[in-house]
């Protein structure tokens, strides 16, 4: 369901979910997920496009910002460039009060990929995001390159982020894995 974007931000055509990138905001699942595998193919249609997938997200945006407290899996187009604080090939990081210990970090909260595997616009890329018991791993085009652990929350909604980039998504599948008993403090806001 749409959280804070216009009806025109999202459309479905030729078995693809199409994000116009404007206004910024999210589309989110109607239910929460704890342990799961999310697979999706995505492509940016314009160089330097920005988007993301949020996991274990709260139901609505964090106070004063257009995005949810969650763990973000970055979906940047290659021409965006690698800055000192980010790459374009599958960073994972906590936002707006979420917590995560990066497995391949650089002293901050962001996990950086061990290898650059994404293809530039307008080629398709495949993400396999596995979330299990507070750990997250991301495979980009068939190889795990980014991981995080000790995430909080570790049960919540899944969101697709509109952040300026025109992005196509297809073949999105969620495989639900068995749940594990967890304390209330690790569950996102419903």
């Amino acid at each position: 369901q749409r959280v804070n974007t216009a009806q025109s931000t999202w459309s479905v055509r030729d078995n693809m979910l199409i994000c116009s990138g404007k206004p910024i905001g999210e589309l989110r699942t109607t239910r929460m997920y704890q342990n799961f595998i999310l697979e999706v193919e995505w492509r940016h249609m314009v160089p330097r496009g920005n988007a993301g997938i949020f996991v274990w997200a709260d139901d609505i945006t964090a106070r004063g910002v257009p995005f949810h407290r969650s763990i973000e899996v970055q979906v940047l187009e290659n021409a965006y460039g690698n800055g000192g604080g980010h790459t374009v090939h599958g960073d994972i990081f906590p936002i707006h009060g979420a917590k995560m210990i990066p497995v391949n970090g650089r002293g901050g909260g962001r996990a950086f990929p061990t290898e650059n595997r994404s293809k530039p616009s307008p080629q398709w890329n495949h993400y396999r995001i596995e979330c299990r018991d507070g750990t997250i791993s991301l495979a980009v085009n068939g190889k795990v390159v980014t991981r995080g652990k000790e995430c909080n929350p570790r049960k919540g909604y899944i969101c697709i982020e509109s952040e300026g980039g025109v992005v196509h998504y297809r073949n999105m599948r969620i495989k639900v894995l068995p749940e594990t008993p967890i304390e209330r403090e690790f569950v996102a806001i419903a």
Side-chain angles (χ1 to χ4, degrees), residues 88-109:
V88 298
H89 298 86
D91 295 13
I92 301 175
F93 50 99
I95 59 172
H96 305 305
K99 294 179 172 59
M100 180 192 83
I101 296 175
V103 171
N104 186 36
R106 297 179 187 160

Side-chain angles (χ1 to χ4, degrees), residues 140-167:
V140 177
N141 294 323
K143 183 176 181 183
V144 173
V145 294
T146 322
R147 295 191 319 251
K149 62 184 181 180
E150 296 182 39
C151 296
N152 186 8
R154 57 185 65 168
K155 180 177 182 177
Y157 299 95
I158 299 170
C159 303
I160 306 295
E161 175 196 38
S162 169
E163 197 177 4
V166 178
V167 189

Side-chain angles (χ1 to χ4, degrees), residues 2-170:
R2 285 183 299 116
V3 178
N4 59 343
T5 52
Q7 185 84 33
S8 59
T9 304
W10 308 96
S11 60
V12 175
R13 187 178 75 237
D14 300 326
N15 293 318
M16 294 182 297
L17 173 64
I18 298 170
C19 175
S20 70
K22 296 175 184 171
I24 60 174
E26 288 80 44
L27 190 68
R28 77 160 170 82
T29 57
T30 55
R31 62 164 280 205
M32 287 190 183
Y33 295 85
Q34 181 189 6
N35 298 329
F36 61 92
I37 297 169
L38 170 65
E39 291 196 61
V40 61
E41 291 176 79
W42 59 268
R43 67 178 178 180
H44 275 281
M45 299 311 293
V46 179
R48 296 186 49 80
N50 191 350
I53 297 170
F54 299 167
V55 300
W56 296 320
D58 287 339
D59 59 344
I60 60 172
T61 61
R63 184 179 299 276
V65 295
F67 304 121
H68 300 243
R69 178 181 70 127
S70 62
I71 307 299
E72 178 171 352
V73 179
Q74 188 72 73
V75 179
L76 284 177
E77 200 281 326
N78 293 34
Y80 199 93
N82 293 330
H86 71 276
T87 68
V88 298
H89 298 86
D91 295 13
I92 301 175
F93 50 99
I95 59 172
H96 305 305
K99 294 179 172 59
M100 180 192 83
I101 296 175
V103 171
N104 186 36
R106 297 179 187 160
R110 185 179 289 248
F112 293 91
T114 55
E115 188 178 317
N116 295 341
R117 296 184 56 81
S118 70
K119 301 171 192 167
S121 169
Q123 297 177 71
W124 286 100
N125 290 282
H126 179 271
Y127 271 9
R128 182 183 189 274
I129 303 165
E130 185 167 339
C131 295
R132 191 187 305 251
D133 297 330
T135 66
I136 181 170
S137 69
L138 170 66
V140 177
N141 294 323
K143 183 176 181 183
V144 173
V145 294
T146 322
R147 295 191 319 251
K149 62 184 181 180
E150 296 182 39
C151 296
N152 186 8
R154 57 185 65 168
K155 180 177 182 177
Y157 299 95
I158 299 170
C159 303
I160 306 295
E161 175 196 38
S162 169
E163 197 177 4
V166 178
V167 189
H168 295 176
Y169 297 93
R170 69 181 183 190

